Amino acid sequence: MRRSRSFVTDPQSALEGASGDQPATDHADKQGRLADVSILALAFFLIFIAFMLVQNLATSVLPTNLAFTVLSLLYASFAFSNLIWAAPIVQSLGTRPSLFLASLLYTILDGAYVLCLQNSNNEWIQWTIITPAALLAGFGAAVLWTAQGTYVTRCAPNGNVGKYSGIFFGIMALGTISGPFISNYILKVTGSQIAVFKALFAIGAGGPLVLLFVWSRPEPGVSAETAAPPRANVF
């Protein structure tokens, strides 16, 4: 009996068939996704220009014992969440949803500072508002930085993770330079500390909006080396 022969005329089909159930890697992932990393850095720029300035200003407008308690709770929650929950949550939700949802907790903390300043005559209300917000922000920070490390690693082509990370942190660090000028300008124009906090809250809220756009982008390619998200080590 004569056996029939089948020929694969489409090279792409041949590649897909040889790889089984594994999807072919997107061409953009092979070349790297520097634009996505830059957009991510813009989101972090907005989030942390607000966060860092609010933290610095809070020590001068809140009661001393409250200000230092908030910082202690924030970093304790950050450390504990890194050890227990951050990596499993990012693996479960995915990097892009984790980035967006965790960034909202920073915005909640910025808003809590505004409410504390508006209730400066009632220390009990200040404690009630700011302490849960600090715990949530510490948890959010652990998830945010774990997701960030995974996302940048997956966007970078092989051998260029360091370059992509450097670009990310370079853009983000611009907030450290421009932040004091922005807050000083707002204070001069308005003459009000609460106006500065409200403006910083608005700036920080822009970060989750940018991350919502990041969420709409395709998930970067996953390889065996990048399947597990690294632990966060930067606050």
Side-chain angles (χ1 to χ4, degrees), residues 1 11 13 21 23 29 36 59 61 64 73 80 94 99 116 129 152 167 191 204-205 214 223 228:
M1 182 180 294
S13 300
D21 295 331
D29 289 337
D36 290 305
T59 56
V61 298
T64 303
L73 290 173
F80 186 76
L99 286 165
C116 282
I129 292 171
V152 172
I167 292 171
V214 171
S223 65

Side-chain angles (χ1 to χ4, degrees), residues 8-155:
V8 178
T9 57
D10 184 1
Q12 182 65 27
S13 300
L15 289 174
E16 291 177 355
S19 62
D21 295 331
Q22 294 294 328
T25 305
D26 185 80
H27 178 72
D29 289 337
K30 290 181 180 179
Q31 299 300 317
R33 290 171 54 173
L34 184 57
D36 290 305
V37 172
S38 300
I39 293 169
L40 180 69
L42 172 62
F44 275 61
F45 171 88
L46 295 172
I47 292 168
F48 284 94
I49 194 175
F51 173 76
M52 294 171 65
L53 287 173
V54 163
Q55 290 298 307
N56 291 334
L57 294 172
T59 56
S60 62
V61 298
L62 292 180
T64 303
N65 59 335
L66 177 57
F68 285 104
T69 299
V70 167
L71 288 177
S72 298
L73 290 173
L74 185 67
Y75 284 98
S77 176
F78 174 66
F80 186 76
S81 298
N82 266 315
L83 294 172
I84 305 293
W85 295 309
I89 287 174
V90 173
Q91 287 177 330
S92 176
L93 296 179
T95 55
R96 295 165 300 143
S98 297
L99 286 165
F100 171 72
L101 295 174
S103 69
L104 294 177
L105 301 181
Y106 275 92
T107 305
I108 290 174
L109 180 62
D110 294 338
Y113 276 113
V114 174
L115 293 175
C116 282
L117 202 58
Q118 291 175 332
N119 293 275
S120 57
N121 295 326
N122 193 324
E123 191 170 334
W124 182 84
I125 292 179
Q126 290 181 324
W127 278 88
T128 304
I129 292 171
I130 200 66
T131 50
L135 290 170
L136 287 174
F139 166 75
V143 174
L144 188 76
W145 283 109
T146 301
Q148 178 272 338
T150 305
Y151 189 82
V152 172
T153 301
R154 291 177 179 176
C155 283

